[in-house]
Amino acid sequence: MAELSITGLGKTYPGGVQAVEGVTAEIADGEFIVLVGPSGCGKSTILRMIAGLETITTGDLLIGDRRVNNLEPGDRDIAMVFQNYALYPHMTVRKNMEYGLKNEGLPRSEIDARIAEATRTLRLEDYLDRKPRQLSGGQRQRVAMGRAIVRDPKVFLFDEPLSNLDAKLRTQLRAELKALHKRLGATFVYVTHDQVEAMSLADRIIIMNAGRVEQIGLPMDLYLRPATRFVAEFIGSPAMNFVEGTVDPDRRSLAVNGSHSLRFAEPLPAEPGHKIALGIRPEHLTEVPAGALSMELEVDFIEQLGADTVVHGKLAGANSPLAVRLHGVQAGAAGSVVTLGCEMDNLHLFDLGTGQRLN
Amino acid sequence: MVENRPLLTFLTHFALIMGVVFLCFPVWMALVASTHGPDALARSPIPMWFGDQGWQNYSQLLAAGLPEAGGVPLGRMMWNSLIMALGITFGKIAVSILAAYAVVYFRFPFRMGFFWMIFITLMLPVEVRILPTFDVVTKLGLLNTYTVLIIPLIASATATLLFRQFFLTIPDELVEAARIDRAGPMRFFWDILMPLSRTNIAALFIILFIYGWNQYLWPFLVTSDESLYTVVMGIQRMVNSGEALPVWHLIMGTAILAMVPPVLVVIAMQKLFVKGLVESEK
Ligand SMILES: Nc1ncnc2c1ncn2[C@@H]1O[C@H](COP(=O)(O)OP(=O)(O)O)[C@@H](O)[C@H]1O
Ligand SMILES: [Mg+2]
């Protein structure tokens, strides 16, 4: 079995950079886990500790029921796909895929069988005798995946494998990766900074910030009930709107800045006098001024995306920036005022200080 | 830069052609001289075109050697030069690629200290340390051996630095991919580093072979046994052969023959070298 158990994992680089701190996660056999977070938050470091390319400073790492903290990468039953492909430039595609198997001492017939299988899966038959430099970026990354597949590892590790490809190819390879995961049934740990990639690929997402785990959950959980303001801001595009203010004594309104306040149909789930950040996703604001609250938006500019229109502006009377995503093609002029509404269920309340979710 | 200015084109071509003529003229003179008899070269004007003694001169050189210069056959001297040049070339490449491998890929105590020690030897070519080195090889009883012709010239930092710079450009991800593919340090060296260094090795081979082949001062100091003479020393001995007049036609023939191996090396290796420049494999 290839579940992955990470307990209290930490990494301090020589020189004192604490890149990862106290990461704990249980990854089930066959799960597609995506590690996501802004650049520099320690995703690659975690992946490289799982791979054995970086020593583990604190904590335990188990693959199956074997503690692998001190095993060499080659002995951990993992395979890794790198952002820059890391193919051996002087070897043909076939040699690239064979290399690890040869070092493992597998018999020729077994090697050939595995390569045949992998090339069929990845449609690489025509390229077996080419060198990496004769391939496009997408093909190179497929070869890198092939090199991982032939090893038949328990755990596949991916470090931003699609980042160097153009948008169209990225979408295509994303679908292929998903299909590959289904077919192989192996455990995938995938690192990306792109939340769209994370949402579309993951069974579960681990979202990281500054070396720590912010939240672990199903993609939809992260979207619908982000545990912290950081998660709320990171997941979803355009990003969630935030209005900061103080809850009034009757808990039915939020004092935004001095004069202006927002009124709600139901009491807010927060203590009177509490300073909070109220989060609303742009797609949850409607032009119907009904529901739990109504607010006015002063339009700054309009983004036409075709299927949708994103209206950017400010909350009237306050200075909070606000964006709304409306269906279809919508007209609107800068300077005009739009009245918007939102359902109570779609409000996210976060403590202004700690960023923790309140409702 | 594609410019169409006839005068400029003319001037640049003229300069280049003059350069070529300037470089090739002595070679041409040597080649012509080696095909004449001894008398033709003693007269003025010196002949500018081939004579009829070429066959005779070269067969004498290759078969019998020069009685005026101790009678060591040219073949013997060429052989000695070849051993020395190849010994220096292979020795230097092997030592420096391993040293660079250690400095770049292994973490050991005083790593940078060792690197700087290697670096400092850049300032100490054989000519500078000639007396102490001579003293050492004498005490080791190495005079008049191939070993003494080769070993002291192997130690130098240039090639190590070159390989180090090259290794530093190899992406870390490649090293990591190899680790995951269960390649230990030796496998990584042979299967990945060596093939990637191919063009660098070819370039160094050319430079070092010529460097080794042209050594003069050091072999001159440490060999007195005629059977160890190199071609470059042989030419010198022919020119200063005591009271007898220098036999210019044979000396020129020797010079021409001494040029052949370096030229062959350049021709053989240049394909690899140019290929390396054109198709970057990183
Ligand atoms: N080899 C290293 N030595 C020192 N610090 C490092 C090293 N590698 C990464 N770091 C630091 O650790 C932090 C996390 O890096 P990384 O895991 O690469 O982030 P991510 O992949 O999420 O962008 C960063 O602050 C980075 O500067
Ligand atoms: Mg990274």
Side-chain angles (χ1 to χ4, degrees):
Chain A
M1 278 319 211
E3 56 278 313
L4 203 65
S5 161
I6 300 170
T7 319
L9 203 64
K11 173 74 190 180
T12 309
Y13 279 108
V17 181
Q18 182 144 30
V20 172
E21 218 183 328
V23 171
T24 298
E26 293 293 330
I27 297 167
D29 182 33
E31 201 171 13
F32 199 137
I33 282 279
V34 175
L35 270 167
V36 70
S39 171
C41 69
K43 312 176 294 286
S44 296
T45 304
I46 294 185
L47 201 72
R48 294 160 53 79
M49 283 194 282
I50 299 175
L53 297 171
E54 213 67 77
T55 55
I56 295 173
T57 314
T58 58
D60 283 319
L61 175 66
L62 279 77
I63 298 178
D65 35 26
R66 202 163 54 127
R67 185 172 182 274
V68 297
N69 276 44
N70 300 315
L71 290 188
E72 273 294 302
D75 301 328
R76 291 192 180 193
D77 225 345
I78 50 104
M80 184 152 170
V81 176
F82 297 87
Q83 177 174 353
N84 297 313
Y85 325 125
L87 297 174
Y88 309 121
H90 57 295
M91 296 187 193
T92 59
V93 169
R94 176 191 294 280
K95 289 255 162 58
N96 261 286
M97 297 207 272
E98 270 179 7
Y99 187 60
L101 305 183
K102 274 191 180 163
N103 290 343
E104 217 173 305
L106 289 187
R108 189 76 245 175
S109 56
E110 172 74 16
I111 294 180
D112 287 341
R114 287 199 192 178
I115 288 183
E117 166 81 21
T119 39
R120 206 164 36 241
T121 309
L122 295 165
R123 287 174 286 114
L124 284 169
E125 291 97 335
D126 297 341
Y127 308 112
L128 275 176
D129 295 317
R130 292 212 197 160
K131 297 266 182 77
R133 86 183 104 86
Q134 296 163 309
L135 300 174
S136 70
Q139 290 165 341
R140 283 183 208 189
Q141 201 51 291
R142 275 217 206 88
V143 175
M145 287 182 202
R147 185 170 64 179
I149 293 173
V150 293
R151 304 202 49 199
D152 192 20
K154 285 184 178 156
V155 182
F156 284 84
L157 306 172
F158 298 86
D159 195 351
E160 313 220 11
L162 308 184
S163 295
N164 286 0
L165 307 175
D166 61 56
K168 190 157 169 257
L169 208 54
R170 214 149 52 207
T171 320
Q172 185 194 334
L173 272 175
R174 215 155 67 194
E176 283 183 29
L177 257 172
K178 193 82 185 158
L180 188 68
H181 175 250
K182 209 167 195 167
R183 166 196 263 260
L184 297 173
T187 311
F188 277 34
V189 182
Y190 187 104
V191 161
T192 179
H193 64 267
D194 179 356
Q195 53 102 10
V196 178
E197 224 168 274
M199 294 293 280
S200 68
L201 284 172
D203 291 334
R204 274 194 309 155
I205 292 179
I206 301 179
I207 175 162
M208 310 243 335
N209 179 23
R212 296 174 160 281
V213 172
E214 284 280 329
Q215 189 174 2
I216 303 182
L218 305 176
M220 271 307 127
D221 287 350
L222 264 56
Y223 177 78
L224 294 173
R225 282 188 61 80
T228 63
R229 181 173 173 176
F230 176 84
V231 177
E233 255 179 316
F234 195 83
I235 302 283
S237 169
M240 187 184 276
N241 299 302
F242 288 97
V243 180
E244 295 174 0
T246 312
V247 180
D248 280 349
D250 66 354
R251 294 168 58 202
R252 281 172 177 275
S253 63
L254 184 69
V256 177
N257 59 357
S259 58
H260 196 83
S261 65
L262 288 177
R263 285 211 56 82
F264 298 85
E266 294 169 38
L268 289 172
E271 295 303 309
H274 205 136
K275 284 196 187 331
I276 64 162
L278 170 72
I280 308 173
R281 294 202 181 276
E283 54 272 34
H284 290 156
L285 284 166
T286 52
E287 267 191 300
V288 192
L293 98 149
S294 84
M295 58 209 284
E296 293 188 326
L297 167 71
E298 272 175 27
V299 179
D300 281 341
F301 65 96
I302 290 186
E303 252 182 315
Q304 301 281 7
L305 302 179
D308 293 321
T309 304
V310 182
V311 183
H312 295 268
K314 285 191 290 288
L315 180 64
N319 236 350
S320 316
L322 206 60
V324 193
R325 186 175 194 135
L326 302 171
H327 277 298
V329 180
Q330 307 274 340
S336 61
V337 173
V338 188
T339 308
L340 301 165
C342 181
E343 295 300 328
M344 203 69 196
D345 285 350
N346 288 330
L347 299 181
H348 306 267
L349 271 59
F350 301 99
D351 184 284
L352 194 57
T354 66
Q356 294 298 314
R357 187 182 186 89
L358 297 170
N359 61 333
Chain B
M1 212 165 51
V2 185
E3 276 186 80
N4 191 12
R5 280 197 263 162
L7 184 64
L8 194 69
T9 310
F10 173 76
L11 279 178
T12 48
H13 278 72
F14 182 74
L16 286 173
I17 289 167
M18 285 316 288
V20 170
V21 168
F22 189 71
L23 282 176
C24 289
F25 185 67
V27 179
W28 173 255
M29 289 303 292
L31 190 62
V32 167
S34 70
T35 61
H36 285 274
D39 318 331
L41 297 168
R43 281 194 308 269
S44 139
I46 322 175
M48 295 296 287
W49 194 250
F50 297 109
D52 52 4
Q53 302 276 307
W55 179 252
Q56 208 177 316
N57 290 349
Y58 282 103
S59 45
Q60 187 194 340
L61 274 173
L62 289 171
L66 227 62
E68 296 89 337
V72 186
L74 188 62
R76 177 82 209 176
M77 295 193 286
M78 297 277 278
W79 176 247
N80 290 340
S81 284
L82 191 69
I83 289 185
M84 181 174 70
L86 287 179
I88 291 172
T89 308
F90 280 108
K92 228 168 177 163
I93 288 175
V95 167
S96 51
I97 201 169
L98 286 172
Y101 183 45
V103 166
V104 175
Y105 288 103
F106 294 85
R107 303 279 164 273
F108 52 91
F110 310 116
R111 188 170 65 103
M112 283 323 276
F114 281 106
F115 173 70
W116 283 109
M117 269 165 63
I118 295 172
F119 191 84
I120 282 170
T121 64
L122 265 187
M123 289 178 269
L124 302 170
V126 168
E127 288 76 6
V128 174
R129 57 186 157 91
I130 204 152
L131 286 178
T133 310
F134 184 80
D135 191 38
V136 169
V137 297
T138 313
K139 285 186 175 143
L140 289 174
L142 289 174
L143 293 183
N144 286 316
T145 57
Y146 283 127
T147 316
V148 78
L149 284 179
I150 295 168
I151 303 272
L153 293 168
I154 282 181
S156 103
T158 32
T160 311
L161 289 179
L162 191 129
F163 280 120
R164 173 180 180 266
Q165 289 317 108
F166 172 68
F167 290 168
L168 290 177
T169 66
I170 292 178
D172 289 344
E173 285 191 350
L174 207 60
V175 184
E176 292 168 353
R179 274 182 78 189
I180 291 176
D181 272 344
R182 291 173 189 259
M186 290 316 273
R187 280 250 168 87
F188 175 71
F189 182 74
W190 280 112
D191 296 345
I192 306 208
L193 225 42
M194 284 293 276
L196 288 179
S197 311
R198 218 180 52 198
T199 52
N200 286 52
I201 293 175
L204 262 181
F205 194 98
I206 296 180
I207 295 167
L208 293 178
F209 185 86
I210 293 171
Y211 167 82
W213 185 268
N214 287 340
Q215 280 303 315
Y216 169 67
L217 185 58
W218 182 249
F220 186 69
L221 273 182
V222 294
T223 53
S224 49
D225 184 346
E226 287 177 346
S227 66
L228 280 168
Y229 278 5
T230 63
V231 141
V232 178
M233 283 168 72
I235 295 175
Q236 190 271 347
R237 289 241 317 177
M238 290 177 192
V239 178
N240 303 326
S241 54
E243 295 90 66
L245 277 179
V247 277
W248 284 115
H249 60 302
L250 294 180
I251 293 172
M252 291 303 171
T254 311
I256 292 293
L257 287 174
M259 260 187 276
V260 171
V263 168
L264 287 182
V265 165
V266 170
I267 292 173
M269 291 284 179
Q270 105 173 333
K271 261 194 190 151
L272 240 186
F273 188 50
V274 173
K275 199 169 142 214
L277 294 182
V278 178
E279 56 175 56
S280 158
E281 280 206 312
K282 263 174 275 157

